[in-house]
Amino acid sequence: QKDAIDHKPDLVMINVGVNDVWHAFFDFQNIQFYPQGNLPTGVPLAQYREKITQMVLAAKAAGIRVVLLSPTPIGEILDGPENRRLQEYIAAMREIALQNQCLFIDLNAPFREVIGTYQKHAGKTLNLLAADGVHPNPSGYRIMAFTILRGLGVPTKDIENLEVKK
């Protein structure tokens, strides 16, 4: 409400999910990974679905156009347990967008494509598109910007020389 609706925007983009999943797998206080993803600091899928739906309905009720942006990968181990679970959250977000006539823009797929292609030709790497595994670096931001603008209907020729400044 206070972060978006109260400002009366024409458009709101909702991009959530990384921390909801990541925090179920990683104990930040003790710096320990839990491969089962059973920490209580994560957000269960049902609650994630409920909260996004509430945000979408509140924005739409205020006459605001809503775009749902899928979360980007958690780290760059694409077949890791966090990213396998994240796919369920992305599917839920896509479903919510469909049910509520919102635009859904998939940011996860292009990240996975770039990371996967790089790893195929250069081996496993860390932080190719994200400075710390989750927060995008300039290359990650460029993919996000390009994907969002294309998703909003901006022709590729108008954004192919886009500069992303930090």
Side-chain angles (χ1 to χ4, degrees), residues 33-93:
F33 179 71
Y34 288 78
Q36 296 81 20
N38 56 359
L39 295 174
T41 47
V43 174
L45 182 58
Q47 184 181 2
Y48 175 81
R49 185 185 303 272
E50 177 186 329
K51 295 294 183 183
I52 291 178
T53 300
Q54 288 172 357
M55 287 187 276
V56 167
L57 293 176
K60 290 187 73 159
I64 301 167
R65 181 179 173 204
V66 178
V67 177
L68 296 178
L69 305 171
S70 74
T72 55
I74 300 168
E76 296 181 355
I77 301 170
L78 300 178
D79 59 350
E82 313 98 303
N83 283 311
R84 285 195 307 269
R85 183 173 300 167
L86 188 63
Q87 293 306 309
E88 298 171 25
Y89 287 63
I90 293 168
M93 180 183 273

Side-chain angles (χ1 to χ4, degrees), residues 5-129:
I5 296 172
D6 289 349
H7 296 281
K8 301 183 185 342
D10 296 321
L11 170 75
V12 66
M13 294 187 182
I14 300 172
N15 174 233
V16 295
V18 168
N19 288 339
D20 299 317
V21 172
W22 190 24
H23 289 218
F25 286 88
F26 197 78
D27 177 350
F28 291 88
Q29 187 172 353
N30 297 309
I31 316 297
Q32 188 170 351
F33 179 71
Y34 288 78
Q36 296 81 20
N38 56 359
L39 295 174
T41 47
V43 174
L45 182 58
Q47 184 181 2
Y48 175 81
R49 185 185 303 272
E50 177 186 329
K51 295 294 183 183
I52 291 178
T53 300
Q54 288 172 357
M55 287 187 276
V56 167
L57 293 176
K60 290 187 73 159
I64 301 167
R65 181 179 173 204
V66 178
V67 177
L68 296 178
L69 305 171
S70 74
T72 55
I74 300 168
E76 296 181 355
I77 301 170
L78 300 178
D79 59 350
E82 313 98 303
N83 283 311
R84 285 195 307 269
R85 183 173 300 167
L86 188 63
Q87 293 306 309
E88 298 171 25
Y89 287 63
I90 293 168
M93 180 183 273
R94 187 185 306 270
E95 232 175 78
I96 293 165
L98 188 61
Q99 291 168 350
N100 293 282
Q101 295 84 44
C102 298
L103 180 60
F104 173 81
I105 299 176
D106 191 350
L107 299 178
N108 193 276
F111 269 65
R112 292 179 69 84
E113 181 181 341
V114 169
I115 293 165
T117 300
Y118 184 89
Q119 290 178 351
K120 177 181 172 188
H121 297 284
K124 300 289 182 188
T125 184
L126 295 176
N127 306 337
L128 179 66
L129 299 178

